[in-house]
Every structure is written in structure tokens, then in C-alpha cells.
């Protein structure tokens, strides 16, 4: 099993998380759930690694290729449980329907006064077990938790219920096993997650969805050393306000022969893996390991390996971390403003996007540099929109061979960048190599323009031609002016054609612009220098 989950940076800033908590606690759960849709869409668009991890898992769990709706539902399910965690921690359980399946095993264990290991996973809500056990059934529960991962979110959630925060046993220190032994001896039910391996942790090989993985042996080994039972627990989210808590006795007692310890640990871990697979098939959208669980080689890594082989610098950042939680927080503010103005603020921007798409010329007289914004490749090939932009740039060059063309855009899917594929396209059209330059590291439109500013320098950046699709012109101009760039805009298409897909793109561009303007205003008002540095 891949250990990269511990290396993923926390996508969070404290003020954004506080905003989300405030919305959840003061506006209410219906409003909070309404905001989950733009949040889910945001992560579906920007979190490439999470999106790929979702696809790899759902392909196995659903026995088919998952659609974008499946991946949207997968991320939305995760977002819903994160929102509900706020209510669980603040003790607001009255609006939830909670069904307990197989609960007699845990109730009987608690009645004996002896502790045990509660073995769970990142399937569903383990938080629901912790809070429901304490608030509804008064069970003595302590939880093993990696507090060093996502520290900002951990601190804010712990502040909602300081008493509950005291039940956490931090993972990773030499005293962890001693605290587990002490807690079990005092009659606590000690919860642990058994589906992720921490760096340096011992593991046992298992079969999961028909393929090899490795699972950490620490929970089973702790149970064997303490001599206590192991009870499986899965808190499945069933949609709306419904949760199912499943409990199963895995082992009354784990006994290990010193001569065959590793093999016996493997047997117990395989039993756990089998039950985990059973519940993952039953509730596939509850699987919250959004990374390459089976260590398939992701396309971004393939590109990095090829870069190393050719002596180029590997990409340090990937698209899913380009926006961060500052972007998510301003997205929430943007949607709240849209609702407060009944959509009028968005309608005004839509009119601006429409007029610019309709009125911008497709021919310009400006000489010098022609900058072509990239478009996401389709299976590593130039899309129709990108081809239109490239053909316009070629026409401008043929009208004035003194012009130079700069293609901007990094890798978006496979191993080749948008800029490099655009260069190959123009070479095939007969343009000379000396007329073409590329920038192949930028991740999105704002990054395209920022790197263009760096490449063109102070003198030439005030007088260049910017070629992009008609639907994209308004956003490109506003972002460019925010970076103190003043390009001459040139539309890729001869005229604006009207159909449903173009109207949808115009509306989407208006939404992006609304988000940008709200984010810029908020960053200035809060004096958020980190955000301002990224957009100016």
C-alpha cells in the first residue's frame, strides 16, 4: 500500500477553516450542505491526485469505469462527513438518524470493565463512533490519532470539544504502546485505524480487491501483547442525515506463536482486509483514501521520471495544490454573495463576458510577441479549442513574420505539456523553430500570465498580443490587468458561435470572474499578503 498520504500537504489556512465552521454552526446544516456542492466541484476540478485516487478505487469497487458523477458523489460524500463532524463534536446529534448494527458485542465488552481494540479504517466516519460512543452510550473510548497530519484542522476541531480532544492518544512516539496498554488495562475501548501505513511502520502483505497491499500490524500486535479482544467498527454514511454503525468481533483474543508470529499476524490482517473489502463494496463512496492506494504509477510521476531521464527539472507542484484553502474560502464567500444578491452580481459579469466574447476582433496590427494560452490536452493531443488558438497564432505570424510566438501551459494530463504539444502542432503547420518559444510549467490561467510577465520582461510586456478563445477573453484580460499587464486581445475564432456548450462556458467564466473579484476584495480587506502575492 502506498505511504504517500502522509506526504500530502494540508490544504488549509486557519481563517478559511474558521469561516467554514462559522457557516456550519451559525447558518445551519441545510445551508452548510448547500455549500458542499461548490466545494465538491472545486476539489473535483483542482485536486488531481484525489480525483485519480477516487477513480482507481471506484474502478475496482464498482466493477466499471467510474463516471465524473461517480467521482463527484465520492468527494461529496467525504465533504458531507467532514461537515457532520462539526455537529458531532459540538454535541448536536438530535437531527441525525443513527442505526447501530451488531452493537451487542461492544456493549457486552464495555460491561465487563475490560478494554479492547476497536479496529476501524478510513471508510466512513470514525469520528461518528468516537462521539456517539461517548454521548449516546457513555462508552469509555480513546482514539489513536496521527495529530501531526492536518494540524490546523485538528486544532480547530479539537477546540469545539476540548473534553473529547483529551481522549486522543498521539501516534508515533515511543510511549504510544505503553499508553495503549495502560488504557486497555483501565477498561478503555481503544480505537485505531488499520488501513494506512505510517513511514517506518511494520506491515503485513494482504490481498485487497484481488491485488496485493500491505497493512500495518500495530493494532493486532498491540491486542496480542495486551491480551484483549479486537472488535471491528465501520461508521458508514448512508446519505442525508443517516449513519450506520457496524460492529463485528474479529478476535476474542489474539495469540501469537513466537516462531510463526509474522505468518499469524498476516492471517489476522487478511481477515481484517476481507471485512474491509466487504464494507467498501457495500458503501463504495465512503472510501476516504484519496490517493494511489495500490501504488499504480500516476501520470504526473511518469512525467517527472521522464524529466529526470532527460536532465530537466521535475515538477515540484501539481495542479491540485495550485489553489489551496484560501481559494476554497473565497469560493464560499463568492457563492454567499451570489445568493445574497439573487444572482445579480453574477449576471452583471456574465454580460461583460458576453460582450467581450462578441466584440473582440480576430485580427490585430500589433507587432512583437504573440502569447497563446494553453488548453487542457485530450489524451495528450491538442483539443479543438487549442487548435483554434494555434491556428490564429499561425495566421498572425504569416501576416507579419517579425512576430515571435510564446506558448504557455504545463502538463495537465499525461507526460507532455500543453506548450510543447502546441509547438509540435505549429511546426507541423510549417512555422520555423526560431519563431517559437515555450513556457511549460504553469498550471492555470493566472499562472500562465504570471510566468508570461517574467519571460517578457518590463519593456516588452506592455505591448504583446494575447490569443485565447472568445469565451476566455474577459477573464484573461482582468487577470492580466491584475498583474499589471496590458495585452492586445485577439480572439481565436472568427466570430462567436452560439450553442449550449458555448453558453455554458460563458456562464462558467462569469463564475470564475466572480470568484476572482470576491477573492481579491477579501484579500485586500483582510490584508492577506499570501493571497495578494498570488494574484498580483
Amino acid at each position: 500500500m502506498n505511504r504517500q498520504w502522509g506526504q500530502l500537504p494540508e490544504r488549509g489556512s486557519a481563517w478559511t477553516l474558521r469561516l467554514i465552521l462559522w457557516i456550519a454552526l451559525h447558518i445551519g446544516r441545510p445551508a452548510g450542505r448547500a455549500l458542499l456542492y461548490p466545494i465538491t466541484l472545486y476539489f473535483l476540478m483542482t485536486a488531481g491526485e484525489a480525483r485519480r485516487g477516487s477513480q482507481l478505487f471506484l474502478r475496482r469497487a464498482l466493477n466499471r469505469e467510474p463516471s465524473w458523477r461517480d467521482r463527484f458523489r465520492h468527494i461529496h460524500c467525504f465533504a458531507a462527513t467532514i461537515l457532520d463532524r462539526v455537529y458531532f463534536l459540538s454535541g448536536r446529534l438530535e437531527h441525525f438518524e443513527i442505526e447501530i448494527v451488531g452493537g451487542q458485542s461492544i456493549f457486552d465488552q464495555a460491561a465487563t470493565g475490560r478494554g479492547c481494540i476497536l479496529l476501524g479504517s478510513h471508510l466512513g466516519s470514525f469520528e461518528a463512533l468516537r462521539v456517539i460512543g461517548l454521548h449516546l452510550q457513555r462508552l469509555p473510548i480513546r482514539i489513536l490519532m496521527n495529530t501531526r497530519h492536518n494540524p490546523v484542522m485538528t486544532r480547530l476541531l479539537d477546540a469545539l470539544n476540548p473534553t473529547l480532544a483529551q481522549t486522543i492518544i498521539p501516534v508515533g512516539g515511543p510511549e504510544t504502546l505503553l499508553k495503549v496498554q495502560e488504557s486497555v488495562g483501565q477498561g478503555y475501548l481503544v480505537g485505531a485505524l488499520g488501513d494506512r501505513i505510517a513511514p517506518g511502520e511494520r506491515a503485513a502483505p494482504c490481498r485487497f480487491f484481488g491485488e496485493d497491499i500491505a497493512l500495518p500490524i500495530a493494532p493486532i500486535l498491540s491486542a496480542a501483547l495486551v491480551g484483549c479482544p479486537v472488535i471491528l467498527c465501520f461508521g458508514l454514511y448512508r446519505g442525508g442525515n443517516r449513519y450506520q454503525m457496524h460492529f463485528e468481533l474479529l478476535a476474542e483474543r489474539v495469540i501469537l506463536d513466537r516462531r510463526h508470529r509474522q505468518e499469524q499476524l498476516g492471517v489476522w490482517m487478511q481477515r481484517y482486509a476481507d471485512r474491509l473489502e466487504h464494507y467498501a463494496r457495500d458503501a463504495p463512496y465512503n472510501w476516504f483514501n484519496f490517493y494511489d492506494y495500490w501504488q499504480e504509477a500516476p501520470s504526473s510521476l511518469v512525467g517527472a521520471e521522464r524529466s529526470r531521464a532527460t536532465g530537466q527539472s521535475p515538477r515540484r507542484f501539481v495542479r491540485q495544490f495550485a489553489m489551496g484553502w484560501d481559494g476554497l474560502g473565497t469560493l464560499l464567500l463568492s457563492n454567499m454573495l451570489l445568493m445574497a444578491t439573487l444572482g445579480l452580481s453574477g449576471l452583471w459579469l456574465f454580460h461583460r463576458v458576453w460582450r467581450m466574447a462578441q466584440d473582440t476582433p480576430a485580427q490585430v496590427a500589433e507587432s512583437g510577441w504573440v502569447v497563446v494560452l494553453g488548453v487542457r490536452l485530450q489524451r495528450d493531443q491538442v483539443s479543438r479549442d487549442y487548435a483554434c488558438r494555434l491556428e490564429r497564432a499561425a495566421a498572425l505570424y504569416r501576416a507579419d513574420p517579425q512576430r515571435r510566438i510564446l506558448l504557455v501551459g504545463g502538463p495537465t494530463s499525461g507526460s507532455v505539456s500543453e506548450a510543447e504539444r502546441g509547438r509540435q502542432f505549429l511546426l507541423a503547420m510549417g512555422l520555423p523553430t526560431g519563431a517559437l518559444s515555450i513556457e511549460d510549467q504553469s498550471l492555470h490561467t493566472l499562472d500562465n500570465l504570471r510566468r508570461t510577465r517574467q519571460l517578457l520582461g518590463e519593456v516588452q510586456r506592455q505591448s504583446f498580443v494575447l490569443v485565447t478563445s472568445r469565451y476566455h477573453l474577459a477573464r484573461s484580460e482582468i487577470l492580466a490587468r491584475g498583474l499589471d499587464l496590458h495585452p492586445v486581445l485577439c480572439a481565436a475564432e472568427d466570430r462567436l458561435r452560439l450553442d449550449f456548450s458555448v453558453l455554458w462556458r460563458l456562464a462558467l467564466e462569469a463564475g470564475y470572474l466572480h470568484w476572482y473579484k470576491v477573492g481579491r476584495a477579501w484579500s485586500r480587506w483582510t490584508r492577506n499578503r499570501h493571497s495578494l502575492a498570488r494574484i498580483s
Side-chain angles (χ1 to χ4, degrees), residues 116-118 126 129-130 134 139-145 164 166-169 179-180 182-184 186-192:
C116 73
I117 298 294
L118 287 177
F126 201 66
L129 164 72
R130 181 160 67 126
L134 290 174
L139 299 176
I141 294 179
R142 286 184 177 173
I143 301 294
L144 284 164
M145 184 176 294
L164 202 62
Q166 295 175 5
T167 66
I168 293 175
I169 301 174
K179 289 185 178 180
V180 170
E182 177 183 300
S183 297
V184 171
Q186 294 172 351
Y188 283 96
L189 314 179
V190 178

Side-chain angles (χ1 to χ4, degrees), residues 146-171:
N146 187 337
T147 56
R148 289 172 294 183
H149 193 58
N150 294 334
V152 174
M153 179 178 286
T154 299
R155 286 195 300 270
L156 289 175
L157 292 176
D158 285 348
L160 289 174
N161 196 329
T163 302
L164 202 62
Q166 295 175 5
T167 66
I168 293 175
I169 301 174
V171 172

Side-chain angles (χ1 to χ4, degrees), residues 343-360:
L344 292 178
S345 57
L347 187 62
W348 174 75
L349 284 172
F350 179 82
H351 179 262
R352 182 170 181 176
V353 171
W354 171 283
R355 294 300 303 176
M356 190 165 291
Q358 189 175 47
D359 297 342
T360 301

Side-chain angles (χ1 to χ4, degrees), residues 476-494:
S476 299
E477 183 193 44
I478 290 174
L479 293 180
R481 292 189 181 278
L483 294 170
D484 195 28
L485 294 171
H486 301 278
V488 176
L489 297 179
C490 181
E493 304 87 355
D494 290 327

Side-chain angles (χ1 to χ4, degrees), residues 13-168:
S13 63
W15 77 265
T16 307
L17 293 172
R18 289 193 187 99
L19 172 65
I20 296 171
L21 291 178
W22 185 89
I23 291 171
L25 294 174
H26 293 86
I27 299 182
R29 190 169 182 266
R33 285 182 61 81
L35 290 173
L36 291 183
Y37 292 97
I39 290 173
T40 300
L41 183 60
Y42 167 82
F43 278 102
L44 189 63
M45 291 188 301
T46 65
E49 190 66 24
R51 189 171 60 243
R52 176 173 170 78
S54 171
Q55 181 179 11
L56 294 175
F57 171 77
L58 292 178
R59 182 183 294 157
R60 293 170 171 84
L62 301 177
N63 291 317
R64 59 176 172 82
E65 190 64 29
S67 66
W68 71 267
R69 291 183 180 85
D70 292 316
R71 283 175 281 176
F72 184 94
R73 181 180 175 184
H74 193 188
I75 297 174
H76 182 270
C77 184
F78 175 65
T81 60
I82 294 295
L83 176 67
D84 288 344
R85 184 187 296 183
V86 174
Y87 300 106
F88 288 151
L89 289 173
S90 57
R92 304 183 185 188
L93 307 180
E94 63 275 7
H95 299 299
F96 292 96
E97 296 179 10
I98 302 166
E99 179 185 1
I100 298 177
V101 181
Q104 200 59 46
S105 59
I106 192 172
F107 300 147
D108 291 346
Q109 182 63 35
T112 65
R114 297 169 51 240
C116 73
I117 298 294
L118 287 177
L119 187 54
S121 65
H122 293 85
L123 180 73
S125 176
F126 201 66
E127 198 70 54
L129 164 72
R130 181 160 67 126
V131 179
I132 291 167
L134 290 174
H135 286 284
L136 295 186
Q137 301 296 336
R138 304 296 178 183
L139 299 176
I141 294 179
R142 286 184 177 173
I143 301 294
L144 284 164
M145 184 176 294
N146 187 337
T147 56
R148 289 172 294 183
H149 193 58
N150 294 334
V152 174
M153 179 178 286
T154 299
R155 286 195 300 270
L156 289 175
L157 292 176
D158 285 348
L160 289 174
N161 196 329
T163 302
L164 202 62
Q166 295 175 5
T167 66
I168 293 175

Side-chain angles (χ1 to χ4, degrees), residues 457-495:
E458 293 291 336
V459 177
Q460 295 179 329
R461 73 186 195 189
Q462 301 295 331
S463 59
F464 67 94
V465 177
L466 183 64
V467 177
T468 190
S469 304
R470 287 188 176 273
Y471 63 78
H472 194 232
L473 286 164
R475 178 157 62 111
S476 299
E477 183 193 44
I478 290 174
L479 293 180
R481 292 189 181 278
L483 294 170
D484 195 28
L485 294 171
H486 301 278
V488 176
L489 297 179
C490 181
E493 304 87 355
D494 290 327
R495 60 183 178 83

